[in-house]
Amino acid sequence: MAKMNLSWRIVSVCFGLLVCGAAHAVDVAVGGIFPGKALLVIDGGPPKLVAPGNSVAGVRVVAIRGETVELEVDGKRQRLRLGDHVVRSGGGGATASSTITLTADPRGHFSTLGSVNSATVRFLVDTGASLIAMGQSDAQRAGIDFLKYGRPSLAQTANGVVKTWIVKLNKVRIGDVTLHNVDAAVHESDLPFVLLGMSFLNRMEMQRDGDTLTLRRRY
């Protein structure tokens, strides 16, 4: 792994669809920087390696300079740095952060509002949970037909073994960060929070400083 880090550097990306009025806004993100090529992720699609001078989906790689990639998006040049992405909408562009900053409550827990498949939920960060965990009511509000498409399983909890269904969440969003195709477990009973487990957190860099937890997108 150490040798690999000498040959290329991975930078943060932020996926997702944004809507700006009636126009269709598209995210253009850099998923990695390799010798002579940039890994582009456009509109949350599959990553594509593109060399300077070449284009994909109307986005052209102009140059690669250290840890930045200069892109031409809708005729305008944009330089992406670590943790930034470009939102393309018509002829305009903007950058947005792929960082989440949370503050602990009096009990030392980190919670925040977010959404699953566009349904608003309250997340509680739980590094001890291998997957995002949610109750039946939240799953139903998010339009998840876990009985039809979920894989039956069992989970060990503080209250013993419970029945769950393993599903894929189409979209999980917190602040400006959106992840797609995230593994989750739907519990047979309701939960007071949606537990933000490692299937989400493994795709983030986590840094705690006192009562502040910063999550920065890895990929």
Side-chain angles (χ1 to χ4, degrees):
M1 182 62 70
K3 291 182 178 179
M4 183 178 294
N5 286 338
L6 293 176
S7 61
W8 54 272
R9 299 292 303 273
I10 294 296
V11 298
S12 298
V13 300
C14 185
F15 302 110
L17 292 176
L18 301 176
V19 176
C20 181
H24 183 198
V26 181
D27 274 0
V28 182
V30 177
I33 299 177
F34 298 80
K37 290 185 178 180
L39 189 69
L40 298 187
V41 179
I42 299 176
D43 201 14
K48 296 181 182 296
L49 281 170
V50 185
N54 294 336
S55 303
V56 60
V59 178
R60 187 169 73 93
V61 175
V62 178
I64 299 173
R65 297 184 177 90
E67 294 186 351
T68 65
V69 178
E70 187 175 349
L71 302 176
E72 187 175 282
V73 183
D74 293 324
K76 295 185 177 181
R77 293 195 176 187
Q78 304 277 349
R79 182 172 293 178
L80 293 192
R81 298 182 180 277
L82 186 68
D84 291 343
H85 68 109
V86 172
V87 179
R88 184 181 66 186
S89 177
T95 59
S97 171
S98 59
T99 299
I100 303 165
T101 301
L102 305 177
T103 302
D105 64 20
R107 294 177 297 174
H109 297 155
F110 294 95
S111 65
T112 183
L113 287 176
S115 64
V116 173
N117 298 353
S118 299
T120 300
V121 300
R122 177 163 288 279
F123 289 105
L124 177 69
V125 174
D126 186 355
T127 57
S130 57
L131 305 176
I132 286 180
M134 61 197 313
Q136 287 196 35
S137 294
D138 283 326
Q140 289 166 352
R141 288 194 306 107
I144 302 168
D145 192 346
F146 55 91
L147 293 176
K148 182 176 182 179
Y149 297 107
R151 174 171 57 84
S153 183
L154 297 174
Q156 181 68 50
T157 71
N159 296 321
V161 177
V162 298
K163 185 176 182 180
T164 63
W165 291 264
I166 307 302
V167 298
K168 286 279 189 183
L169 304 180
N170 294 332
K171 182 172 65 173
V172 178
R173 179 165 185 163
I174 301 175
D176 292 324
V177 175
T178 303
L179 300 185
H180 295 271
N181 298 320
V182 183
D183 290 325
V186 178
H187 287 230
E188 61 182 345
S189 58
D190 284 335
L191 300 177
F193 299 93
V194 174
L195 300 180
L196 194 66
M198 297 307 294
S199 57
F200 183 97
L201 297 174
N202 275 338
R203 293 161 69 174
M204 311 293 293
E205 289 181 6
M206 293 187 287
Q207 182 178 357
R208 181 167 181 173
D209 183 8
D211 290 336
T212 300
L213 177 66
T214 301
L215 306 177
R216 182 183 293 277
R217 179 157 188 165
R218 293 180 188 269
Y219 62 91

